Amino acid sequence: MEKSRVTDYLLQYMKQHQISAAWAAKEAKIDADKLTEDYKEPLLSDEFLELCVVLHIRPEDVMAALNTKNE
């Protein structure tokens, strides 16, 4: 499976802001295995949006950050 840039970005964001993946998974009602560095399944769109709500980040900001990295 190819890694998800969105999932990788959110994992890095949580690490930089010292946010526990276990806490974020519980708050967003996401399988905690999806928020580990060796995840097998990337986040689904609804999981991504719920995690954005929990982390207080805008999905647009995630997209902009990912597009900036590609330039």
Side-chain angles (χ1 to χ4, degrees):
M1 174 201 75
E2 186 175 321
K3 293 295 231 172
S4 164
R5 293 175 42 230
V6 170
T7 301
D8 289 344
Y9 175 86
L10 291 173
L11 291 173
Q12 181 181 27
Y13 179 91
M14 289 187 300
K15 186 174 186 178
Q16 288 175 342
H17 291 86
Q18 299 178 342
I19 298 170
S20 160
W23 175 84
K26 181 179 176 185
E27 291 295 311
K29 297 176 180 73
I30 296 171
D31 182 357
D33 289 340
K34 289 190 171 189
L35 296 181
T36 63
E37 289 191 27
D38 61 343
Y39 63 89
K40 304 289 186 232
E41 294 180 38
L43 294 168
L44 299 174
S45 58
D46 59 327
E47 294 169 330
F48 163 71
L49 293 172
E50 187 63 38
L51 194 55
C52 285
V53 170
V54 168
L55 298 176
H56 303 286
I57 57 176
R58 295 172 4 135
E60 299 92 329
D61 294 340
V62 175
M63 206 66 220
L66 292 176
N67 288 334
T68 302
K69 288 183 179 183
N70 284 337
E71 294 176 357

